[in-house]
Amino acid sequence: MRENEIRPAQLMQGQAKAFAADILRLQKQKNDFINVPCPACGSEKARKAFEKYEMTYVACRECETVYMNPRPTPAILDRYYATSENYRYWNQYIFPASEKSRRMKIFRPRARHIADICRRYNIVNGTLLEVGAGFGTFCEEVRRLAIFRRVIAVEPTPDLAETCRRKGLEVIEKPIEQIGPINTTIDVIVGFEVIEHLFSPRDFLHHCAKLLSPGSLLVVTCPNIKGFDIAALQVLSSAVDVEHLNYFHPTSLSRLAADCGFETLEVTTPGKLDAELVRKKITAGELDVSSQPFLKQILVDEWEQVGEKFQRFLADNKLSSHMWLVARKPPVK
Ligand SMILES: [Zn+2]
């Protein structure tokens, strides 16, 4: 997979402009931001990790989760997403232009991956609910596999919810925390790149646990703060941005899931882009590796020979920055 296929360079300029407007709006509300304890373990002990876009990110001294603190309130975040120029731009330009390639490179494999997980844990012919369905491509792909009786897209952003409806998907246009009981048993909840955006991942997971029946699954993906590209690039990483408030790692996310009533079945990091993302920063002159001969060797000098193998090594050893958690609400004994 190449980055340009899923983020077309010529469109990313417009996206950067839309995102800059969103960031400015958020910066103007900084005085209303509030302090929170660690989103994973609840500890108040933290040290400053880095700053970006005038936002402060701290690292928990207990569990090493990194999180934005202070952060926007839930009300500020609701307004931010409802009026985001960035999301409108993605919905209007980037998703349509890159959908074919995203479908083949991201969503079709993702749907198959979910199907495999569900088979592995005996979830058959049930109801799948996707939180943050976005452009609806994953829901379409999973519907195509015909392994679920019902597929529900939860998407609070109005433009995106409308796109999902146009695709004939069943849509709930609300944040999941505001969804009451649903007239069906939910067998699997999936949330791809959602949890890092939330004011309270803990509330989110508690709410998922309430919606799920015993024995059913939760699958979430998010950045791994201990993964290669984020650890190597820090503030230079595009994964570090104003919308990402929470940066877990495999252990801290499992711990939070356990606190919210889930047992962790698997944590994996099947990321494919870490090495390429770091390499790009080096070749663009943004990351200086003149005193890092090993990184230069792998990512520049011997890239053709070892680049792919290095990425595979990262993915296989929970060292990629793209993380998957599969957890289960324990069956009734
Ligand atoms: Zn912590």
Side-chain angles (χ1 to χ4, degrees):
M1 177 158 75
R2 294 281 164 206
E3 199 194 359
N4 197 46
E5 293 171 332
I6 54 167
R7 299 178 191 133
Q10 70 281 12
L11 286 176
M12 295 317 282
Q13 272 181 354
Q15 185 267 341
K17 221 172 123 191
F19 194 25
D22 283 355
I23 293 170
L24 196 65
R25 250 176 340 122
L26 213 48
Q27 286 167 340
K28 283 188 183 150
Q29 300 173 82
K30 262 184 74 182
N31 287 340
D32 298 321
F33 283 17
I34 55 176
N35 279 293
V36 293
C38 170
C41 76
S43 169
E44 309 257 356
K45 291 184 203 144
R47 61 179 167 76
K48 193 169 162 185
F50 39 78
E51 264 187 30
K52 188 171 180 180
Y53 304 123
E54 296 176 27
M55 307 291 156
T56 303
Y57 301 81
V58 299
C60 173
R61 288 187 188 273
E62 300 286 337
C63 79
E64 298 178 298
T65 295
V66 171
Y67 57 103
M68 188 193 285
N69 202 37
R71 61 178 51 194
T73 61
I76 293 176
L77 287 173
D78 284 351
R79 222 166 30 240
Y80 174 88
Y81 287 108
T83 57
S84 160
E85 292 183 31
N86 183 30
Y87 283 87
R88 196 175 313 128
Y89 192 88
W90 273 89
N91 187 45
Q92 257 179 9
Y93 302 106
I94 302 176
F95 281 142
S98 62
E99 191 182 21
K100 202 172 156 206
S101 139
R102 284 176 170 269
R103 183 184 297 281
M104 303 313 288
K105 302 274 175 182
I106 299 176
F107 295 105
R108 193 157 292 176
R110 191 180 273 179
R112 289 202 185 112
H113 197 156
I114 290 292
D116 288 344
I117 290 168
C118 288
R119 280 191 208 102
R120 196 148 65 236
Y121 299 105
N122 291 320
I123 304 289
V124 278
N125 201 26
T127 297
L128 174 141
L129 183 146
E130 185 189 12
V131 184
F135 208 60
T137 320
F138 169 79
C139 283
E140 282 186 296
E141 284 301 312
V142 92
R143 187 173 59 181
R144 236 184 95 252
L145 294 177
I147 52 161
F148 295 100
R149 190 176 60 241
R150 191 169 165 192
V151 173
I152 303 172
V154 174
E155 179 47 65
T157 304
D159 289 358
L160 293 168
E162 180 52 32
T163 299
C164 288
R165 272 191 294 270
R166 274 206 310 272
K167 291 179 167 185
L169 294 167
E170 178 179 349
V171 181
I172 301 178
E173 193 178 325
K174 280 181 190 171
I176 189 158
E177 294 86 346
Q178 290 170 25
I179 297 176
I182 296 177
N183 60 348
T184 186
T185 311
I186 309 291
D187 303 284
V188 52
I189 293 181
V190 298
F192 303 105
E193 284 95 63
V194 168
I195 200 164
E196 64 270 33
H197 292 255
L198 303 174
F199 178 80
S200 173
R202 190 173 287 270
D203 287 354
F204 168 76
L205 291 179
H206 271 305
H207 207 81
C208 289
K210 256 192 253 168
L211 289 172
L212 286 166
S213 49
S216 47
L217 295 183
L218 171 79
V219 183
V220 294
T221 70
C222 62
N224 167 18
I225 186 69
K226 296 195 174 185
F228 181 66
D229 86 72
I230 305 182
L233 295 175
Q234 302 263 316
V235 291
L236 287 177
S237 168
S238 59
V240 176
D241 81 37
V242 292
E243 292 185 4
H244 295 169
L245 312 183
N246 315 296
Y247 302 80
F248 299 104
H249 54 80
T251 313
S252 72
L253 185 57
S254 303
R255 175 178 176 163
L256 173 62
D259 267 7
C260 298
F262 289 99
E263 53 178 346
T264 294
L265 301 170
E266 302 171 13
V267 188
T268 53
T269 65
K272 293 190 166 67
L273 290 174
D274 304 67
E276 189 191 336
L277 293 172
V278 178
R279 175 182 151 81
K280 273 192 173 169
K281 295 289 180 191
I282 297 170
T283 51
E286 289 177 59
L287 181 69
D288 178 13
V289 287
S290 54
S291 58
Q292 298 280 349
F294 187 70
L295 283 186
K296 183 171 170 288
Q297 186 182 332
I298 292 183
L299 299 173
V300 184
D301 303 342
E302 297 177 17
W303 174 250
E304 292 303 325
Q305 298 91 302
V306 301
E308 256 188 71
K309 285 182 224 163
F310 179 61
Q311 181 62 43
R312 222 163 27 240
F313 167 81
L314 296 175
D316 289 346
N317 291 283
K318 295 192 179 28
L319 295 170
S320 159
S321 290
H322 175 58
M323 166 163 80
W324 282 61
L325 171 92
V326 181
R328 174 165 59 189
K329 186 165 166 180
V332 180
K333 287 185 184 127

